[in-house]
Amino acid sequence: MDYANKTGGSAQKKKSFAGNKAALIFFLLTVPTLLLYIVFFLLPLGMGAYYSMTDWDGFSLSYRFVGFKNYIDILQDNRFLHSVRFTFLYATIVVVLKLFIALVLAIFLSGKLKLRGFFRSVYFFPAVLSMITVGLIFNQIFYSVFPSIGQALGIDWLSRNILGNKSTAIYGIALTNIWHGIATPMVIFIAGLASVPKDLKEASLIDGATPLQRFFSVTIPFLIPMLTVNLVMAIKGTLTVFDYIVAMTDGGPAFATESMGFLIYKHGMAEMKFGYGTAEAIYVFVMIAIISFIQIKILNRKEAGQL
């Protein structure tokens, strides 16, 4: 009996030691990633939070600690408030149209279509171009191509560069973003459409459901995870828009197209208000975090209720 207890205890100790050794190895494997996360995310975030409470210009060795003054001034800054209104209007236009068009194209390219692979490649091509390149191309299109066509056809509104008008410049930038950014959500939707079980489609067809009923009752529930991913990426991308504005309008005309991301750059790098610009960046970070959290919660609940 004693021998059995000793043998069992020895085996238990060996098993415990092997488990602790495996846990240690797994922990050591995560250390490089953890260090990179601390050095390149948590540390810069903490430093940014500190500098946002100073009047540092980004270059001087000396600066003053001003506490929450930057945060209070930002809420009274009409230029920042305008950038918030512009960014959210721009985000609404781009996100709604981009995801709608991407879904329509995904449905079209998932059907029985000749040269389907070719058309998928054509629609995905813009994704391989950089934002700056696309912005510069569309800048020339809006500056010379469309006005020339408008003058030739005698169409007055098409004869003018929409980027040169404060009320229409936002639509030119939005159109550029939609054309360039539609490929990624389209591919994700195509993957989602491929995951819809064929037996469910056939059962709904036998039950006499119309194409619209099949789409909303069978297809949409399986697309909710893809919609969540696309929404998070699209909202994050539009709320931090920068490259298109730099390439197309540089914030003009008359500061009309200054987004939050672009204004942070202008204040921090061009106007030597690094502390102030960092405080603006903290505001934007909090906005995006709250919006992303809310939309993920809503879509996850919807997914859990439908699947």
Side-chain angles (χ1 to χ4, degrees):
M1 190 72 177
D2 292 338
Y3 176 76
N5 289 336
K6 289 180 181 180
T7 304
S10 177
Q12 188 67 28
K13 287 181 180 179
K14 287 182 179 180
K15 185 176 180 181
S16 177
F17 176 77
N20 292 335
K21 185 178 180 181
L24 179 62
I25 292 174
F26 290 145
F27 172 75
L28 292 176
L29 290 174
T30 64
V31 168
T33 302
L34 184 62
L35 288 175
L36 290 173
Y37 181 76
I38 293 172
V39 171
F40 292 102
F41 181 77
L42 293 182
L43 185 60
L45 183 62
M47 293 176 63
Y50 171 75
Y51 284 123
S52 69
M53 297 183 182
T54 70
D55 64 351
W56 190 36
D57 60 8
F59 295 95
S60 301
L61 297 178
S62 61
Y63 52 83
R64 291 185 304 111
F65 186 83
V66 296
F68 291 98
K69 182 178 182 302
N70 288 333
Y71 291 93
I72 297 171
D73 291 345
I74 287 171
L75 295 178
Q76 301 170 350
D77 187 345
N78 289 330
R79 191 175 172 191
F80 177 77
L81 297 178
H82 170 76
S83 74
V84 173
R85 290 192 294 269
F86 167 83
T87 304
F88 275 88
L89 176 59
Y90 170 83
T92 302
I93 295 170
V94 172
V95 170
V96 172
L97 291 179
K98 181 190 289 186
L99 296 189
F100 174 76
I101 297 172
L103 181 57
V104 172
L105 287 175
I107 295 171
F108 172 71
L109 294 174
S110 296
K112 296 179 180 179
L113 179 70
K114 291 183 179 180
L115 300 176
R116 185 172 61 178
F118 170 76
F119 284 111
R120 285 185 178 184
S121 300
V122 168
Y123 282 111
F124 188 77
F125 171 72
V128 304
L129 301 174
S130 70
M131 295 181 186
I132 290 291
T133 301
V134 172
L136 292 172
I137 292 172
F138 271 83
N139 188 27
Q140 289 303 310
I141 290 174
F142 289 129
Y143 179 75
S144 58
V145 177
F146 284 169
S148 299
I149 295 174
Q151 291 171 6
L153 298 177
I155 303 174
D156 183 61
W157 65 268
L158 191 60
S159 302
R160 297 188 295 269
N161 179 10
I162 63 174
L163 297 179
N165 189 307
K166 291 195 297 183
S167 60
T168 60
I170 185 175
Y171 302 111
I173 302 172
L175 176 62
T176 304
N177 190 335
I178 292 169
W179 181 86
H180 181 227
I182 206 170
T184 301
M186 180 192 72
V187 171
I188 294 175
F189 279 137
I190 289 174
L193 290 170
S195 70
V196 180
K198 292 183 179 180
D199 55 346
L200 285 180
K201 294 181 180 179
E202 293 171 356
S204 63
L205 186 62
I206 293 172
D207 290 339
T210 64
L212 202 59
Q213 289 173 330
R214 293 200 302 272
F215 177 73
F216 284 103
S217 300
V218 178
T219 305
I220 284 295
F222 286 90
L223 289 181
I224 290 177
M226 289 70 188
L227 181 61
T228 302
V229 173
N230 282 333
L231 265 177
V232 171
M233 292 196 308
I235 291 176
K236 182 261 180 186
T238 51
L239 291 182
T240 58
V241 60
F242 174 79
D243 304 69
Y244 298 118
I245 293 174
V246 170
M248 299 178 72
T249 63
D250 198 36
F255 309 109
T257 59
E258 281 189 335
S259 66
M260 294 187 295
F262 183 80
L263 186 59
I264 291 169
Y265 160 75
K266 292 289 284 186
H267 278 155
M269 305 304 295
E271 299 178 16
M272 309 290 285
K273 299 178 181 178
F274 189 87
Y276 192 83
T278 305
E280 291 174 325
I282 297 293
Y283 269 124
V284 174
F285 170 79
V286 172
M287 286 181 198
I288 295 175
I290 292 173
I291 292 171
S292 299
F293 176 79
I294 292 173
Q295 72 180 26
I296 291 173
K297 278 289 186 183
I298 292 173
L299 290 171
N300 282 347
R301 286 179 182 176
K302 191 171 183 63
E303 180 183 355
Q306 289 186 343
L307 295 181

